[in-house]
Amino acid sequence: MRSSLVDSSVIIEALKGNPTAKRLIQSLESDPKFINPIIFSEVLFVFLKLVTGKSYLTLRGNPKEIEKHRDKLEKVYLYLKDNFSELPLTEEIEERAFEFILNYGMLPNDALILSTAKFYGVTLVTLDEDFLYPARSEKVEAITGDSFAETERTIQKD
């Protein structure tokens, strides 16, 4: 049984109907699936931008625009709570994330996500290819959309 930290890129794409993302999540169905507070925030934020068609600057300080989409946001919130357990961030995760920012030029949220996977010893499931080199360097197993699709093709040939 594999425990996986599912990146926001996979969850958002699955919510948008991307078949690879949906199959990735389905392939983990019987395994423990996790998110962290960063992934939780990114999913809700990107989803909000998608449903409103508004930018961060337009949404910031505009609660009425957000309130218009309350039902949809609640559905996404429940989806996250029903399908994923949350791994907390720790000071050690934050310190290691800062090292990842300096060593690999990662963006802070991505560094926190990779650091969470490393700290808890879970597989990182992502559609973001930017994780591949740092994950490999840090000996974190990473499943990406491309590696998953390649595995699916191999299985179908056999």
Side-chain angles (χ1 to χ4, degrees), residues 96-112:
R96 187 173 287 155
F98 186 67
E99 291 174 15
F100 293 172
I101 292 166
L102 297 177
N103 294 340
Y104 303 112
M106 296 182 81
L107 294 173
N109 281 0
D110 289 350
L112 283 163

Side-chain angles (χ1 to χ4, degrees), residues 30-148:
S30 61
D31 299 337
K33 295 180 293 305
F34 298 96
I35 59 174
N36 69 7
I38 301 301
I39 295 166
F40 177 84
S41 175
E42 284 184 351
V43 168
L44 288 175
F45 181 65
V46 172
F47 182 79
L48 191 55
K49 286 179 22 179
L50 288 170
V51 297
T52 63
K54 309 284 184 191
S55 71
Y56 165 77
L57 293 175
T58 305
L59 290 172
R60 187 171 184 264
N62 191 352
K64 289 184 181 183
E65 185 64 40
I66 295 170
E67 288 168 10
K68 288 182 200 175
H69 302 281
R70 180 185 183 103
D71 291 344
K72 291 177 186 172
L73 280 170
E74 285 177 347
K75 286 180 184 175
V76 172
Y77 172 81
L78 291 174
Y79 171 76
L80 292 172
K81 291 299 179 186
D82 290 345
N83 291 285
F84 303 92
S85 297
E86 191 164 308
L87 296 173
L89 297 177
T90 66
E91 191 172 328
E92 184 178 336
I93 289 171
E94 292 171 358
E95 289 172 4
R96 187 173 287 155
F98 186 67
E99 291 174 15
F100 293 172
I101 292 166
L102 297 177
N103 294 340
Y104 303 112
M106 296 182 81
L107 294 173
N109 281 0
D110 289 350
L112 283 163
I113 291 167
L114 180 60
S115 183
T116 300
K118 182 171 178 89
F119 180 82
Y120 289 105
V122 297
T123 299
L124 177 61
V125 179
T126 184
L127 294 176
D128 186 348
E129 300 291 325
D130 290 345
F131 281 107
L132 289 181
Y133 174 71
R136 193 175 314 115
S137 297
E138 294 297 325
K139 297 178 178 42
V140 174
E141 181 182 9
I143 297 174
T144 65
D146 288 343
S147 62
F148 178 73

